[in-house]
Amino acid sequence: MNLSHLSSPVTVNWGITARCNFECSHCFSRLDISPELSGEEALRVVDILAGHNVMFVNYGTGEPLLREDLFPLTEYAVSCGLKATMNSNGSLISRETAGRIRRAGFHSVGISIDSADAKTHDAFRRMQGSFDMAVGAARFLKEEGVPLSISSVICRVNHRDFPALVSMAKGLGAHTIDLHNFKCSGMGGLNRENFDLSPPEWKAFYEAAIPMRRAEKGIEIAFDDPIMSLLGEEESGKLVAGSVCGKLSLYIRPDGEITPCGFIPVPIGHILKDDLGKVWNESRLLAHLRGKAAAGKCAGCGKFSSCLGGCPARSYAVHGAYDAPDPHCWADE
Amino acid sequence: MIPKKNPEVVWRLEKGMHEMAWGKARKDEEYEDMGVITLMIGGSIHQLNLVGAEIWTRINGVNSLKKISRDIASLFGWEEKETEEAVMQFLKGIEERGWVTLQEKAGPAGPKWQGH
């Protein structure tokens, strides 16, 4: 069955704070200086998300554990029926904190590890010792029984070594390793030349990763990129064509502004000032993203109906237009 | 045969769609492609149409295949025997996907209350 209608986003990625104790080379939010919502406002956000039957709320952006009310906020979200997850650099997760995370009711926690090689990870995260902290956090979470995933940004430092990352994630007992493609937003935009892959390199990565994902039984290897349709990869569990942003998910910035995703810094409403259902159903930008027009080399491309021009965030970041061809696309390269 | 949901399946009824699909069904209009329930498991997302949703919402680890089939036959005005075969086929399909387990008997009742 194709997607016929979603009454609200399935997942809301919520930047509950932009504060971070790391200064990673690729961070999309390091340049974000917006103020964050108060504790009371954050609780209202939870009420709104639960009231709209949002299924998952995923904390990210800055380091969520720097938010002082993270645990009571999460306990409240869980009590309202939301499945709460977060991405963390792991540096603030001691054994005691891992226990607190479990008791708060987190559905799963993602720890960022970008290389199985400590030096490579530390250099990318620009933090000496960050690899050991992340691995330690993963072990504490596992020991506490918190469902664990490993989150990696695929880029120049690791695109050929990802099988080692997968092995390491399996060894840590993660249920999933999320291989995120590098996004040229924020610091990622400023450092794109150092970290982004060329279109043929992205093709080579997916040609290696797709069969590995099919064959792997011990861990779920998760990655999602509309341009994989160029390789004939049919996403059986994918309900929508093209990017999922604005179709299955939305992003809430630390100050409450809603954007289609974290990598498209264009507000379409405010979570506390505007009706979420109205934003979801009536936003002109979301309508545009859901019905993208083929432009440039996409016009006439036989894969457009399944990739819908690829990732609009990448197109916007590089070309300033959502409809422009995805800069990672290798068609006609 | 008693189906039981996999607790790892996260799901929701789509607001408004249930009523809209029933409105179409009652007018003999096409409703089969309308997503009424959205489910997520292991990073994959799926939707069930009206019939699937009516079956899914009756799966509670207690209701048997026969009970669910009778309800569905009554709801849609279908023959009981054919409906039971169709419901069984549906349940086998979602069992293969790992969304439910099919047991011969109901499992033990869970505790009524669990302290923290």
Side-chain angles (χ1 to χ4, degrees):
Chain A
M1 167 183 289
N2 292 322
L3 170 71
S4 54
H5 184 72
L6 289 173
S7 49
S8 63
V10 170
T11 300
V12 166
N13 295 301
W14 184 6
I16 51 172
T17 183
R19 288 177 284 147
C20 193
N21 54 345
F22 280 22
E23 291 184 337
C24 303
S25 314
H26 65 293
C27 181
F28 77 96
S29 62
R30 214 70 315 268
L31 308 175
D32 185 347
I33 52 165
S34 60
E36 63 190 51
L37 299 175
S38 70
E40 194 182 322
E41 288 170 327
L43 292 172
R44 281 174 54 209
V45 172
V46 168
D47 285 335
I48 291 166
L49 299 183
H52 282 84
N53 274 342
V54 170
M55 296 159 86
F56 294 89
V57 60
N58 179 51
Y59 308 135
T61 308
E63 171 52 47
L65 284 152
L66 285 172
R67 175 113 192 176
E68 293 76 7
D69 58 354
L70 175 72
F71 295 125
L73 181 67
T74 303
E75 284 161 4
Y76 183 62
V78 172
S79 76
C80 292
L82 290 161
K83 303 287 183 194
T85 61
M86 72 169 157
N87 290 327
S88 168
N89 60 35
S91 64
L92 301 174
I93 302 181
S94 61
R95 190 181 300 278
E96 185 188 358
T97 308
R100 192 74 189 83
I101 288 170
R102 176 182 54 75
R103 291 192 297 278
F106 273 93
H107 186 69
S108 182
V109 172
I111 297 295
S112 296
I113 302 180
D114 302 295
S115 174
D117 174 65
K119 280 185 186 167
T120 304
H121 172 91
D122 287 1
F124 185 58
R125 294 274 157 184
R126 297 171 69 193
M127 180 65 74
Q128 187 77 25
S130 59
F131 177 86
D132 290 340
M133 289 189 275
V135 168
R139 291 194 173 125
F140 289 142
L141 290 167
K142 199 64 197 160
E143 284 167 18
E144 281 294 331
V146 177
L148 169 73
S149 65
I150 298 299
S151 199
S152 312
V153 176
I154 296 299
C155 61
R156 190 151 295 287
V157 306
N158 60 10
H159 69 112
R160 292 195 181 92
D161 303 329
F162 73 91
L165 258 173
V166 172
S167 297
M168 188 185 71
K170 265 171 87 171
L172 288 170
H175 58 79
T176 301
I177 179 165
D178 288 295
L179 303 179
H180 302 284
N181 55 75
F182 177 85
K183 295 286 195 313
C184 28
S185 302
M187 293 295 289
L190 298 176
N191 291 317
R192 186 181 175 213
E193 283 188 13
N194 298 326
F195 295 112
D196 203 359
L197 308 186
S198 67
E201 285 171 326
W202 280 114
K203 182 185 182 194
F205 167 72
Y206 287 121
E207 282 176 336
I210 289 169
M212 188 173 178
R213 174 167 71 176
R214 284 201 196 106
E216 181 57 58
K217 301 294 177 206
I219 187 170
E220 185 181 346
I221 304 174
F223 47 88
D224 181 34
D225 192 329
I227 59 171
M228 287 192 300
S229 59
L230 285 170
L231 297 173
E233 180 67 359
E234 295 299 327
E235 298 274 331
S236 61
K238 196 166 174 184
L239 211 52
V240 295
S243 163
V244 300
C245 299
K247 297 170 194 158
L248 300 180
S249 61
L250 286 179
Y251 174 69
I252 302 176
R253 281 194 339 202
D255 61 0
E257 293 285 358
I258 304 168
T259 68
C261 85
F263 304 106
I264 298 180
V266 181
I268 54 175
H270 190 283
I271 189 67
L272 297 176
K273 297 173 188 164
D274 299 299
D275 178 72
L276 178 61
K278 200 168 176 183
V279 171
W280 180 249
N281 289 310
E282 297 179 17
S283 159
R284 290 165 74 176
L285 177 50
L286 293 186
H288 185 126
L289 296 177
R290 291 165 186 165
K292 276 176 71 181
K297 70 177 183 181
C298 296
C301 175
K303 292 293 181 185
F304 183 79
S305 61
S306 50
C307 84
L308 289 187
C311 170
R314 292 196 293 248
S315 300
Y316 184 75
V318 173
H319 303 298
Y322 310 110
D323 292 339
D326 187 326
H328 285 182
C329 174
W330 56 82
D332 297 333
E333 284 286 327
Chain B
M1 177 75 70
I2 294 166
K4 188 177 178 188
K5 287 189 185 97
N6 177 346
E8 288 182 18
V9 177
V10 183
W11 62 279
R12 74 177 183 195
L13 197 63
E14 292 298 338
K15 274 185 183 171
M17 292 303 283
H18 188 238
E19 297 78 4
M20 198 184 295
W22 264 119
K24 285 183 176 286
R26 289 193 185 102
K27 287 189 273 182
D28 275 339
E29 293 174 2
E30 285 189 14
Y31 61 86
E32 289 84 354
D33 280 344
M34 296 175 67
V36 172
I37 275 182
T38 303
L39 309 98
M40 226 174 152
I41 180 167
S44 293
I45 185 163
H46 310 268
Q47 285 196 311
L48 294 177
N49 67 10
L50 181 61
V51 179
E54 294 295 355
I55 298 171
W56 180 258
T57 51
R58 284 167 172 76
I59 296 173
N60 59 5
V62 175
N63 287 339
S64 66
L65 165 66
K66 280 200 179 301
K67 158 83 171 124
I68 294 170
S69 302
R70 271 201 305 270
D71 284 358
I72 298 299
S74 166
L75 270 175
F76 289 90
W78 294 343
E79 289 292 327
E80 277 193 22
K81 194 180 171 202
E82 285 172 16
T83 304
E84 188 172 323
E85 286 169 9
V87 171
M88 186 65 207
Q89 197 178 356
F90 173 82
L91 291 175
K92 289 267 187 199
I94 62 174
E95 182 195 30
E96 276 175 27
R97 289 167 176 244
W99 301 0
V100 294
T101 51
L102 302 179
Q103 302 167 332
E104 286 308 314
K105 290 180 180 176
K112 284 182 180 169
W113 178 85
Q114 278 188 317
H116 292 288

